[in-house]
Amino acid sequence: EAGVAQSPRYKIIEKRQSVAFWCNPISGHATLYWYQQILGQGPKLLIQFQNNGVVDDSQLPKDRFSAERLKGVDSTLKIQPAKLEDSAVYLCASRTGQSTDTQYFGPGTRLTVL
Amino acid sequence: SQQGEEDPQALSIQEGENATMNCSYKTSINNLQWYRQNSGRGLVHLILIRSNEREKHSGRLRVTLDTSKKSSSLLITASRAADTASYFCATALFTGANSKLTFGKGITLSVRP
């Protein structure tokens, strides 16, 4: 079974530029999460989708971050414009629709904002 | 804010020794999970313990949960150099079909060959 795929793996941009990350969850997984992990810290949830609907986006900085999950499969996370403090690893995770199931994480995208 | 707080922040041991990592949390949970993260990689799920369980084993891993003290411990027995990684505890809270994980800051484990 293929795991969670993310691209790109690394991205370097200048501040005020925009950037987009892509995630392809495990086939059949209804729930998809985006996390931000700043160096030296644990992952922080940004947004959770159930199929193509948003379940929780309370910690998403909506003035600059946006995410979508069209057709309930792939998802993209966008930052526009980027700030220096957005430098982090962005992790995508997925699980089945059952709340008791574990989350499976992708390898992440390491973003550096200069 | 992050609920889980791991202790110690860093741990260095010799190969073959046991490694014990602790996690404390603040609010009610449905389960507690431990993850491993190798440098530059994503998180790998290690073990899950439900709120009505007290101890669980998986291979060289042993996890305990004390809900009265709101704490958990992860024991890795007979450590190997390949166990070198960051370890995170994450508390899970269910609301209907929704499950939200809250991670701690992590413990850096170094196993010396």
Side-chain angles (χ1 to χ4, degrees):
Chain A
E1 180 183 73
V4 177
Q6 290 188 247
S7 68
R9 290 296 311 278
Y10 305 92
K11 190 74 177 178
I12 300 174
I13 61 172
E14 301 275 338
K15 61 183 178 184
R16 290 188 289 274
Q17 286 186 324
S18 62
V19 65
F21 313 125
W22 174 82
C23 172
N24 180 236
I26 293 173
S27 178
H29 280 195
T31 309
L32 184 147
Y33 304 82
W34 282 102
Y35 290 86
Q36 179 193 59
Q37 185 178 21
I38 293 173
L39 185 65
Q41 297 184 21
K44 183 186 84 171
L45 179 68
L46 291 176
I47 189 167
Q48 176 186 346
F49 291 94
Q50 182 76 13
N51 297 308
N52 60 350
V54 175
V55 174
D56 183 353
D57 63 356
S58 57
Q59 297 192 86
L60 186 74
K62 298 181 186 63
D63 58 334
R64 298 183 301 106
F65 285 65
S66 65
E68 61 182 10
R69 191 182 184 197
L70 300 176
K71 300 180 182 179
V73 182
D74 294 5
S75 177
T76 55
L77 176 69
K78 297 180 181 177
I79 307 175
Q80 182 179 7
K83 293 185 175 181
L84 297 177
E85 58 261 36
D86 297 332
S87 293
V89 175
Y90 291 85
L91 295 162
C92 179
S94 71
R95 66 171 174 84
T96 69
Q98 298 299 317
S99 61
T100 52
D101 289 342
T102 59
Q103 295 183 25
Y104 295 88
F105 283 79
T109 296
R110 182 177 297 277
L111 173 67
T112 302
V113 182
L114 303 176
Chain B
S1 63
Q2 292 176 315
Q3 173 163 234
E5 292 288 339
E6 294 96 340
D7 170 62
Q9 289 188 331
L11 183 61
S12 181
I13 59 174
Q14 199 74 31
E15 201 166 27
E17 293 180 336
N18 295 341
T20 300
M21 292 169 268
N22 303 301
C23 171
S24 61
Y25 57 93
K26 297 177 182 175
T27 63
S28 297
I29 63 172
N30 290 104
N31 67 55
L32 186 143
Q33 303 175 32
W34 286 89
Y35 285 80
R36 184 187 73 223
Q37 185 176 40
N38 291 86
S39 180
R41 304 279 188 91
L43 281 83
V44 174
H45 182 262
L46 294 177
I47 194 165
L48 179 155
I49 186 165
R50 294 180 173 79
S51 60
N52 61 353
E53 296 176 316
R54 292 296 167 257
E55 186 172 315
K56 206 163 182 181
H57 297 254
S58 176
R60 294 184 297 115
L61 305 178
R62 171 179 169 257
V63 65
T64 62
L65 179 65
D66 187 334
T67 52
S68 66
K69 295 181 179 178
K70 291 186 167 57
S71 66
S72 173
S73 68
L74 174 68
L75 170 68
I76 304 175
T77 59
S79 64
R80 305 166 181 168
D83 295 327
T84 295
S86 292
Y87 291 80
F88 295 89
C89 74
T91 54
L93 191 61
F94 304 157
T95 51
N98 184 24
S99 173
K100 182 173 180 175
L101 281 181
T102 305
F103 287 83
K105 292 185 177 182
I107 298 170
T108 301
L109 174 65
S110 298
V111 181
R112 302 186 301 275

